[in-house]
Amino acid sequence: MEEELKNNPITNSQNGVVVDDEDDDTPTLSSETLAALKEFLAEQNGPPVNAEPEEKEKEVALVTEDWRLSQFWYDRDTAETVAHEVLTLSQPSQSQSDFRVACIACPTLYAYLKNFNHDISVQLLEYDKRFEQYGSEFTFYDYNQPEELPLEMKHAYNIVVADPPYLSKECLEKVTQTISFLSRPGESYLLLLTGEVQRDRAAELMSLRPCGFRPRHSSKLGNEFRLFTNYDPGNRLGGWEQED
């Protein structure tokens, strides 16, 4: 809490005022009190014109991972990188509120997107009902029932980002059905975050290619994870990995 200068009169040197014996009507401030006064005035006037603004921290609060649900949150660099890519893809749209994003089983990405741009339209599809706190932007999702979703969500999303909870063939196949349900045929950007072991299946099921960027998790998982897309990201995301 900032200290306040009080209006009570100061009458002796112990309180920071030196009294001139020749002129008691004109007290002068001691060097310590003068320095405190200058600091106070500087705080009131704000930072100097040439001072650089402090960088705003964008920490995102998340619920605790539940490993029983195969939940492993991205580390901050991964979440920010993917969120910035989604925001970049949405920029050509005249209104980001009309540009719709679906996040399948990736609540970390949802939280970072909303932190960076509260107005962007994002729908989180997630099994964990703790995320019902997001209100209408939460949709309960069980990958075992890949198309049991509200009809208004069909072919409604410009970007679909998916992070299947398991690295099995069955899980990816069913999540692929959900992606097909949500995306606009031939128009939507698709991003898939999953293990390297799914490389061939991702190419076979959705014609996705791996990018140079390597996703990481806060829990330091031993599996190698990759980011696959259906579009060429150019210099972003480390670019498409060159085929042999």
Side-chain angles (χ1 to χ4, degrees):
M1 180 178 295
E2 294 180 356
E3 295 182 359
E4 296 182 357
L5 294 182
K6 300 184 181 298
N7 294 324
N8 295 332
I10 303 174
T11 58
N12 57 57
S13 59
Q14 290 182 347
N15 288 329
V17 176
V18 178
V19 178
D20 189 341
D21 292 338
E22 297 180 358
D23 187 358
D24 291 347
D25 295 331
T26 57
T28 59
L29 298 177
S30 68
S31 59
E32 292 83 4
T33 304
L34 183 59
L37 177 61
K38 288 181 178 179
E39 183 179 354
F40 173 80
L41 293 175
E43 291 175 354
Q44 297 301 304
N45 292 330
V49 174
N50 295 328
E52 303 215 353
E54 295 182 4
E55 182 179 356
K56 183 180 179 181
E57 292 293 327
K58 295 187 180 296
E59 295 288 353
V60 174
L62 298 168
V63 300
T64 304
E65 296 170 334
D66 187 341
W67 293 359
R68 295 170 301 176
L69 299 178
S70 189
Q71 289 179 341
F72 304 98
W73 304 154
Y74 308 138
D75 67 10
R76 180 171 176 175
D77 179 66
T78 296
E80 289 185 344
T81 298
V82 180
H84 284 308
E85 175 65 12
V86 171
L87 292 174
T88 297
L89 294 174
S90 70
Q91 284 179 356
S93 175
Q94 293 182 352
S95 173
Q96 288 193 337
S97 61
D98 296 332
F99 197 93
R100 305 182 68 187
V101 181
C103 294
I104 304 174
C106 42
T108 316
L109 176 60
Y110 169 89
Y112 272 81
L113 282 170
K114 298 302 287 189
N115 190 58
F116 287 160
N117 185 343
H118 185 73
D119 295 329
I120 190 169
S121 176
V122 187
Q123 195 70 24
L124 174 63
L125 288 76
E126 171 61 48
Y127 185 83
D128 188 347
K129 291 189 176 181
R130 289 181 296 172
F131 294 104
E132 286 181 330
Q133 62 181 294
Y134 296 142
S136 62
E137 292 186 333
F138 168 84
T139 298
F140 176 77
Y141 172 68
D142 182 349
Y143 81 88
N144 290 300
Q145 300 169 323
E147 295 187 7
E148 288 198 12
L149 296 166
L151 188 59
E152 59 266 23
M153 296 176 69
K154 188 171 184 178
H155 303 324
Y157 294 90
N158 306 86
I159 302 176
V160 180
V161 187
D163 187 346
Y166 301 102
L167 299 179
S168 66
K169 176 182 178 182
E170 176 198 26
C171 183
L172 183 59
E173 288 175 344
K174 290 183 175 179
V175 170
T176 298
Q177 293 179 47
T178 305
I179 292 173
S180 179
F181 179 90
L182 297 171
S183 60
R184 298 176 177 178
E187 298 180 15
S188 296
Y189 297 105
L190 308 181
L191 295 88
L192 175 70
L193 295 97
T194 189
E196 165 69 24
V197 297
Q198 300 281 38
R199 175 198 285 256
D200 292 341
R201 295 191 190 106
E204 177 185 349
L205 294 170
M206 293 175 281
S207 301
L208 304 184
R209 291 178 56 179
C211 298
F213 176 74
R214 304 297 177 102
R216 295 187 301 272
H217 298 78
S218 298
S219 300
K220 312 297 182 185
L221 299 182
N223 305 86
E224 183 180 4
F225 274 73
R226 302 299 302 267
L227 171 59
F228 303 88
T229 67
N230 70 334
Y231 64 94
D232 185 352
N235 295 325
R236 304 187 308 274
L237 303 177
W240 262 348
E241 190 174 90
Q242 296 299 315
E243 297 179 349
D244 296 334

